[in-house]
Amino acid sequence: MSGPPLVIAEGLCKDFPSRRGQKVRAVDGVTFSALGGEVFGLLGVNGAGKTTTLRLLSTMLRPSAGEARVCGHSLLREAGEVRRCIGFLSAATGVYGRLTAREMVAYFGRLHGMDDRQISQRTEELFGRLQLEAFADVRCDSLSTGNRQKVSIVRAILHDPPLLILDEATAGLDVLASRAIVELVKDCRSRGKCVLFSTHRMDEVEALCDRVAIIHRGRLLSCSTLSEMRARAGGGRIEEAFVAMLGEAS
Amino acid sequence: MSPRAIATVFGKELRDVLRDRRALMFLLVLPILAIPALMWLTTEITVHFAQKLSQEKLVMLVLNPEAAPDLWQELRRRGEATHGAKRLAEYLARHRIGREELERLRDASPRDMAQLLSERGVRWEELEKEIAISSGGGDIELTGGAIANLAFPPNLDVIADTEREFADPAKREERLAEAVRTERIAAAMDFSKDAQGQIDGEGSAKVRLYYLESSDRSELAKNGMVRLLRQLGAEIVERRLQARGLPDTFNRPLVVRPERLPGAGLLVKLMSQLLPYLIILFAFLGAVYPAIDLGAGEKERGTLETLLVAPVERLDLVLGKFLVVTLAAMISALLTALSLAVSLRLGMFAMLSQAGADSFSFSLGEAALSLLLVVPTCCIFAAGLLMLSLFSRSFKEAQSAISPLQTLLILPAFVSFLPGVKLDWGICAVPVVNVTLALKEVFTGNMDRHLGHIGLILASTAVYAALMLWAAAWWSRRERVLFRG
Ligand SMILES: Nc1ncnc2c1ncn2[C@@H]1O[C@H](COP(=O)(O)OP(=O)(O)OP(=O)(O)O)[C@@H](O)[C@H]1O
Ligand SMILES: [Mg+2]
């Protein structure tokens, strides 16, 4: 797990306008780095700022302050390059209902500048791995939720990005579909990719994460390995450590 | 800007729209079917009402028949709509010929009458047969007025106030109004003292008609009676002239006969008012659904994030989407024009039965110019709709943001119906209005007189379109638009 650092966040801040013309700081000076071959988990209660942090790192939002280097590119100055090297998947990401699974995936392949041969090769490979072959030419609106999310997975990793950003990607999925995502994460790690991962499920954290960052009210409370977390909980489950840390913070 | 990226977005969005039933409904089905359906419906409604009118009997109460007994009897006889008249009226309605139109041709040249009949597919022999039946075999001239009198007698039941219910002059008008309101009678009339004597001599009898302005039946009865009385009056004059041995030209020193010059006629005028309006409206309507789907739809499906993370510039994304929406507007506008043209060829437009007979056609050059004129306006619509749609968080929100715009759009497009609104240099700068008026001129065949205006309109709308597109691109980069809390 000692690849090169693929994410180096330095003092990332994000302000959102609030109702009365004031600003709300959703992310406040987040600094951390994540390496290739590492699964990096983001933990936090609802509204802690996980989604906002991941959106900042994937260039969807512009930071109000701070900077980050993603795969060696500056977030602020080379947003296009950053986008080329990330795959993004969240619980909310959807599919185009009127396109078939294959068309849907091919669209994003083209947007990533892949040619048709590359696209069809990769599609066959990934559809095979996720048992989607039978649904390749079915319109997405007639797929099950699980299969839709599988199509989204293929969409996210078709261009084989070095960095994968998953925002509660398993939320609302059944056992089989979440397992597909867990397998995907493990596979990425074994191939030296970096996975940024936000979740509310402690079992996933225990099963997957190498290191965990805890975000509370936009601030990074801690950033430690799983064993450090366990030690802090006195050898117990990391859920205890998480709750204890939140208690200290408030 | 990357043409490849734009083409990718364009291709995907086009495919998506073409698979969207709701979008296709507005884009293809509405322009193709709505206009012929509208025409067919108006025809049916005209026929229906013509039948209904000729069937309903309206009671005309005569308050003092004793003042003019002969006149009264004559009115009674003539007020009755015969079976033959109904049949003739229905025959004419089926050919979309109404009373107003025949009345309008009362004094027109026989050429106009003949042209109208042939335009509506009326065969002479057939019409003559119908007329022979309804007139009971008498000879009749084929003029608009004569046919109108035969086919559209007022259908009045002229009865006397035998109970003298309204004899009291003090309460007469009040009671009559009440009787009309409750539909016991449709209208009433009385004659001046010794009216019959005046008529038989060379005097002038006065007939007073009581009617209620707010009642359609009352208005109809009054108008029918006025027509009857005019007709009778003309006949009385003829008799008086004959008795004195004077020619019937004696009281017609001036006979007016308007002659229509060849060229753009009423049909062209109507079409040039209607067509620009419909083209602009349907261009907008055709763009609404794709615009909602391509903007707010991305948010609703959760595909916006995936798009924003893809290595495509926002400008390219917006351009690809914008081109698809513009294309939708253009297709809708084109189909509207084609559908109207075809419907006209098939002679389906009852609304136009008011018009004289001339064909509506335009040259290839005019068609191409009209198309060119519509392009920038379609761009303006597309960019504006996309902006609203991108701002909305859901389909519903986008729809409720756009529907007031739809109502608003009807106003400027309506100017083509206003008489006297002319294309001038100032109006050339007003979007939507300018194109509506320019199309109107092109369709009226006045393109050559307005080339300067048209050039300016193309330039000004192109500038607006470019500004709108620029605004849409700027808009799509704003986080407050794409990620609304
Ligand atoms: N577009 C936005 N406009 C305004 N405020 C926002 C916006 N997006 C997020 N916020 C606010 O920023 C804060 C952090 O939100 P964020 O979605 O990042 O939390 P989260 O950790 O992902 O929570 P959850 O577990 O519920 O997904 C919240 O208070 C939220 O209300
Ligand atoms: Mg979240």
Side-chain angles (χ1 to χ4, degrees):
Chain A
M1 72 154 246
S2 50
L6 288 185
V7 180
I8 305 170
E10 283 162 6
L12 282 180
C13 295
K14 184 64 189 177
D15 298 327
F16 286 118
S18 76
R19 301 249 179 279
R20 291 184 210 89
Q22 294 158 335
K23 284 177 181 171
V24 175
R25 184 147 279 203
V27 170
D28 194 0
V30 166
T31 302
F32 71 95
S33 60
L35 313 176
E38 175 178 52
V39 177
F40 190 95
L42 275 180
L43 280 184
V45 293
N46 290 138
K50 303 180 295 292
T51 298
T52 307
T53 305
L54 295 180
R55 280 182 175 167
L56 287 172
L57 288 171
S58 58
T59 76
M60 261 182 258
L61 296 173
R62 269 184 84 80
S64 313
E67 159 75 305
R69 293 191 79 76
V70 178
C71 307
H73 302 291
S74 157
L75 197 65
L76 297 178
R77 280 171 284 108
E78 302 167 293
E81 295 303 316
V82 170
R83 281 183 216 150
R84 260 175 221 295
C85 66
I86 57 181
F88 180 89
L89 184 64
S90 84
T93 50
V95 289
Y96 295 109
R98 292 185 296 270
L99 297 190
T100 66
R102 195 190 297 282
E103 288 167 344
M104 159 85 200
V105 168
Y107 177 45
F108 284 93
R110 277 192 212 107
L111 290 181
H112 271 95
M114 298 168 75
D115 64 36
D116 288 350
R117 212 175 45 84
Q118 282 173 308
I119 291 174
S120 70
Q121 253 175 17
R122 262 307 260 177
T123 307
E124 292 315 311
E125 179 195 333
L126 293 172
F127 276 17
R129 191 144 28 117
L130 290 166
Q131 280 116 40
L132 276 176
E133 297 109 321
F135 306 100
D137 295 304
V138 174
R139 273 168 60 148
C140 288
D141 50 13
S142 26
L143 292 178
S144 66
T145 314
N147 280 335
R148 270 186 224 182
Q149 190 70 342
K150 283 186 185 175
V151 172
S152 285
I153 295 175
V154 178
R155 190 262 310 148
I157 59 170
L158 193 77
H159 55 293
D160 202 20
L163 171 63
L164 199 58
I165 297 180
L166 304 181
D167 186 14
E168 290 182 48
T170 54
L173 295 184
D174 66 16
V175 183
L176 289 182
S178 0
R179 182 170 290 196
I181 290 181
V182 169
E183 292 306 317
L184 166 82
V185 170
K186 285 182 177 162
D187 179 64
C188 285
R189 171 168 52 193
S190 70
R191 293 195 292 128
K193 318 227 176 250
C194 176
V195 182
L196 274 189
F197 190 91
S198 96
T199 186
H200 288 295
R201 288 175 53 177
M202 294 303 161
D203 58 325
E204 279 177 6
V205 174
E206 306 221 32
L208 287 174
C209 292
D210 299 305
R211 282 196 296 152
V212 179
I214 293 176
I215 294 194
H216 190 59
R217 296 198 184 132
R219 288 171 178 278
L220 218 56
L221 287 187
S222 81
C223 185
S224 50
T225 64
L226 215 55
S227 41
E228 284 168 354
M229 283 272 290
R230 286 208 190 90
R232 204 172 302 185
R237 294 181 307 153
I238 61 160
E239 188 172 328
E240 310 302 331
F242 177 55
V243 174
M245 247 178 249
L246 292 184
E248 283 167 33
S250 343
Chain B
M1 197 162 73
S2 141
R4 193 190 127 105
I6 297 172
T8 303
V9 175
F10 178 83
K12 179 262 159 190
E13 298 296 8
L14 188 63
R15 176 181 293 178
D16 215 349
V17 167
L18 291 179
R19 286 185 191 168
D20 182 357
R21 286 219 192 92
R22 275 191 292 188
L24 287 187
M25 179 76 200
F26 279 93
L27 197 57
L28 305 177
V29 181
L30 205 67
I32 292 178
L33 290 187
I35 289 163
L38 202 80
M39 295 176 178
W40 176 78
L41 210 71
T42 37
T43 310
E44 283 304 297
I45 289 172
T46 326
V47 172
H48 175 79
F49 279 104
Q51 280 170 348
K52 204 170 164 221
L53 270 182
S54 63
Q55 273 155 14
E56 196 173 354
K57 258 215 168 344
L58 301 172
V59 173
M60 171 64 75
L61 192 70
V62 183
L63 301 178
N64 59 345
E66 67 283 352
D70 292 353
L71 177 62
W72 176 49
Q73 289 303 334
E74 188 63 24
L75 289 174
R76 271 185 79 151
R77 207 172 54 71
R78 295 198 183 193
E80 194 104 12
T82 61
H83 173 70
K86 282 181 205 163
R87 188 182 150 137
L88 182 60
E90 272 172 38
Y91 172 82
L92 291 170
R94 202 153 294 120
H95 290 273
R96 303 178 316 283
I97 298 175
R99 192 171 81 203
E100 291 74 23
E101 174 167 40
L102 289 170
E103 296 283 357
R104 208 169 49 75
L105 288 174
R106 184 178 284 276
D107 300 314
S109 64
R111 191 179 69 194
D112 276 353
M113 189 67 205
Q115 219 173 355
L116 170 75
L117 294 178
S118 73
E119 178 93 337
R120 299 297 153 76
V122 175
R123 294 216 318 276
W124 275 108
E125 321 83 73
E126 216 174 67
L127 179 64
E128 271 175 332
K129 203 181 88 197
E130 291 291 334
I131 286 174
I133 291 170
S134 58
S135 64
D139 260 355
I140 186 145
E141 218 189 332
L142 281 181
T143 66
I147 299 173
N149 289 343
L150 258 183
F152 306 104
N155 202 10
L156 294 172
D157 198 4
V158 186
I159 61 169
D161 179 24
T162 42
E163 321 232 311
R164 311 211 51 84
E165 190 185 341
F166 303 96
D168 179 3
K171 292 194 179 131
R172 172 178 292 168
E173 300 207 343
E174 226 166 276
R175 286 186 177 166
L176 282 173
E178 182 61 18
V180 172
R181 215 177 47 73
T182 54
E183 301 202 349
R184 274 178 55 216
I185 63 173
M189 64 196 289
D190 64 11
F191 308 119
S192 53
K193 261 199 200 88
D194 191 29
Q196 196 64 54
Q198 295 291 341
I199 295 165
D200 296 341
E202 287 187 349
S204 174
K206 288 188 182 57
V207 181
R208 206 159 16 173
L209 288 170
Y210 301 92
Y211 71 104
L212 196 62
E213 207 170 17
S214 59
S215 152
D216 283 341
R217 302 170 76 253
S218 191
E219 190 85 16
L220 258 173
K222 180 209 73 174
N223 290 342
M225 184 48 81
V226 167
R227 274 193 305 133
L228 250 183
L229 288 168
R230 290 228 176 93
Q231 211 176 312
L232 263 175
E235 287 171 26
I236 292 168
V237 168
E238 215 167 303
R239 281 206 298 277
R240 286 180 182 176
L241 291 172
Q242 252 169 17
R244 279 183 173 255
L246 291 168
D248 60 0
T249 51
F250 181 83
N251 73 326
R252 283 195 287 154
L254 298 167
V255 176
V256 182
R257 169 164 290 177
E259 282 289 349
R260 204 163 44 80
L261 287 170
L266 211 58
L267 178 64
V268 167
K269 190 178 147 202
L270 259 166
M271 283 315 295
S272 61
Q273 286 175 338
L274 199 64
L275 205 50
Y277 172 67
L278 287 177
I279 286 177
I280 297 290
L281 192 67
F282 276 90
F284 185 85
L285 287 180
V288 166
Y289 248 93
I292 293 179
D293 197 52
L294 269 51
E298 298 269 12
K299 285 192 193 175
E300 193 159 301
R301 279 186 296 258
T303 44
L304 183 68
E305 292 190 344
T306 60
L307 260 189
L308 296 179
V309 180
V312 207
E313 278 182 52
R314 303 260 165 109
L315 178 67
D316 296 346
L317 272 181
V318 168
L319 271 176
K321 286 171 180 289
F322 162 82
L323 287 176
V324 170
V325 180
T326 305
L327 185 68
M330 290 296 304
I331 289 175
S332 185
L334 199 66
L335 284 178
T336 306
L338 282 179
S339 161
L340 259 169
V342 171
S343 306
L344 270 179
R345 270 289 136 81
L346 299 178
M348 285 175 74
F349 216 158
M351 259 180 79
L352 296 173
S353 63
Q354 305 279 349
D358 43 27
S359 61
F360 182 72
S361 67
F362 45 92
S363 70
L364 215 62
E366 285 166 336
L369 185 68
S370 329
L371 204 62
L372 190 66
L373 269 169
V374 176
V375 176
T377 302
C378 287
C379 293
I380 295 174
F381 287 165
L385 285 171
L386 260 183
M387 282 172 76
L388 276 180
S389 170
L390 278 174
F391 187 67
S392 309
R393 276 170 290 214
S394 65
F395 240 88
K396 258 217 179 100
E397 211 181 279
Q399 258 167 333
S400 54
I402 287 169
S403 44
L405 210 65
Q406 221 157 294
T407 331
L408 212 67
L409 179 78
I410 295 176
L411 296 178
F414 210 69
V415 291
S416 58
F417 287 104
L418 298 178
V421 179
K422 277 262 158 57
L423 200 52
D424 61 35
W425 297 109
I427 284 184
C428 285
V430 185
V432 183
V433 175
N434 56 9
V435 174
T436 311
L437 287 175
L439 285 177
K440 186 176 168 183
E441 294 297 348
V442 173
F443 294 147
T444 327
N446 293 335
M447 179 173 97
D448 46 352
R449 281 176 46 213
H450 290 283
L451 285 179
H453 289 138
I454 289 172
L456 184 63
I457 289 173
L458 281 173
S460 74
T461 46
V463 169
Y464 292 136
L467 281 176
M468 286 294 285
L469 189 55
W470 178 83
W474 166 78
W475 192 245
S476 73
R477 270 191 282 269
R478 287 176 61 87
E479 285 173 7
R480 285 191 199 196
V481 172
L482 298 181
F483 297 95
R484 284 170 63 203

